[in-house]
Amino acid sequence: YKMISEFTWPNHDLPSDKEAVKRLLQGCGFEHDVAYGKTKVFIRTPRTIFSLEEQRAEMVKRIVLFLQKV
């Protein structure tokens, strides 16, 4: 999902990957709907996953279109 956040695309400059994931979810407004484990992110509601997937699908279309133009 890194492509849906300006903080994580194409590469993040945060101190850790965990911080990058937190920033991505905060940017999307989902920080209240997640819990962080040591190596996993637990998302509480399916609505959050559907929203992330929709945003990702839209960005994939944009990236593919950009690459085709180049």
Side-chain angles (χ1 to χ4, degrees):
Y1 297 109
K2 70 187 262 178
M3 77 259 310
I4 64 175
S5 174
E6 61 192 34
F7 298 110
T8 57
W9 181 255
N11 295 311
H12 69 83
D13 58 352
L14 298 165
S16 68
D17 290 341
K18 185 174 183 175
E19 290 299 319
V21 171
K22 285 183 179 182
R23 180 68 64 96
L24 183 140
L25 292 171
Q26 287 172 352
C28 293
F30 298 130
E31 69 271 5
H32 63 282
D33 197 32
V34 297
Y36 299 97
K38 282 192 172 188
T39 59
K40 296 179 180 147
V41 176
F42 299 95
I43 299 175
R44 292 186 179 103
T45 60
R47 180 178 56 236
T48 300
I49 292 183
F50 294 141
S51 178
L52 287 169
E53 283 293 326
E54 287 173 2
Q55 291 177 31
R56 182 185 168 280
E58 183 60 36
M59 286 306 296
V60 166
K61 289 178 191 174
R62 292 172 141 183
I63 291 168
V64 168
L65 183 62
F66 173 75
L67 291 174
Q68 287 175 340
K69 286 181 180 180
V70 172

